[in-house]
Amino acid sequence: MTNVAVVYYSSTGNVHKMAEAAAAEAEKAGAAVRLRRVAELAPQSAIDRNEAWAAHVAATRDVPEATLEDLDWADAVLFGTPTRFGLPAAQLKQFLDTTGGLWFQGKLVNKVVSSFTSSNNTHAGQESTILALNNTFYHWGAVIVPAGFADPVQFERANGNPYGASSVTDNVPGNVHPDNLAAIAYQTRRVVEIAKVLGAALPA
């Protein structure tokens, strides 16, 4: 069985909604799945000043926190993050910065990886956020799987990002367009399919 980890950061729920869709689709594709959120780094005072942020933190308290063991276990990992000035959120970046030990042992080589993101408005850094994440994966020696234009869903009105599924939320919590959910589902199926093929081809 292919092991898939969906590792994400979400402040008000948009990326979380996409992550849940990815986890559900991976299970449908026959994978063993772990849905994991990375640790929150923002001070509680900042969270409390944003009603939607505080509500989301409370609502997802029971989602297990990501650990390095989740990456070691996984054959494929989908990473989700909101875009922050065209870059991944600090919370996800901090988690990635703890992977040096796994990297040094060669345990991240040939992991199948793919990313998705969300921003408040169009042209707000979705593509650059995913490209920035890829810099880490090059160092890992991972196999990066982009969404591409390999499925008709990518040509739907709200899609069109070949780097990875992305959502434009208009600053509304949990506002993920159905086209974007279909896009992350397609991207997940693609990741699982390639992970299965790669796993069968590589020596144990």
Side-chain angles (χ1 to χ4, degrees):
M1 180 176 282
T2 302
N3 295 336
V4 175
V6 181
V7 177
Y8 74 96
Y9 173 72
S10 187
S11 55
T12 60
N14 300 292
V15 173
H16 171 75
K17 193 168 184 178
M18 297 175 77
E20 285 188 316
E25 195 65 28
E27 287 184 346
K28 282 187 201 174
V33 180
R34 294 183 183 180
L35 178 66
R36 299 289 188 263
R37 61 179 176 84
V38 298
E40 179 61 81
L41 303 178
Q44 191 63 45
S45 58
I47 296 170
D48 290 342
R49 285 196 297 270
N50 185 319
E51 184 178 337
W53 194 354
H56 180 68
V57 168
T60 57
R61 201 175 303 279
D62 292 335
V63 177
E65 197 169 287
T67 68
L68 294 180
E69 193 276 328
D70 294 316
L71 297 186
D72 193 16
W73 167 85
D75 301 303
V77 189
L78 288 110
F79 290 96
T81 177
T83 180
R84 296 287 187 260
F85 301 110
L87 294 168
Q91 289 85 344
L92 181 60
K93 182 62 168 61
Q94 193 278 336
F95 175 71
L96 294 174
D97 285 346
T98 69
T99 62
L102 290 178
W103 166 80
F104 186 75
Q105 297 172 70
K107 291 187 174 183
L108 300 172
V109 173
N110 291 333
K111 297 285 185 185
V112 174
V113 296
S114 197
S115 303
F116 57 96
T117 188
S118 176
S119 65
N120 287 338
N121 53 287
T122 306
H123 308 304
Q126 297 99 328
E127 294 174 359
S128 64
T129 295
I130 292 172
L131 290 170
L133 280 172
N134 286 350
N135 288 330
T136 296
F137 309 145
Y138 299 139
H139 284 258
W140 286 2
V143 178
I144 300 169
V145 175
F149 285 112
D151 188 275
V153 72
Q154 291 296 86
F155 297 94
E156 296 296 333
R157 181 187 66 81
N159 289 329
N161 187 344
Y163 301 86
S166 59
S167 172
V168 176
T169 64
D170 296 320
N171 207 27
V172 178
N175 181 33
V176 182
H177 194 281
D179 287 352
N180 302 146
L181 295 176
I184 189 59
Y186 146 68
Q187 185 175 339
T188 301
R189 290 193 301 273
R190 180 167 158 79
V191 165
V192 174
E193 178 183 3
I194 291 174
K196 286 179 179 177
V197 170
L198 193 63
L202 292 173

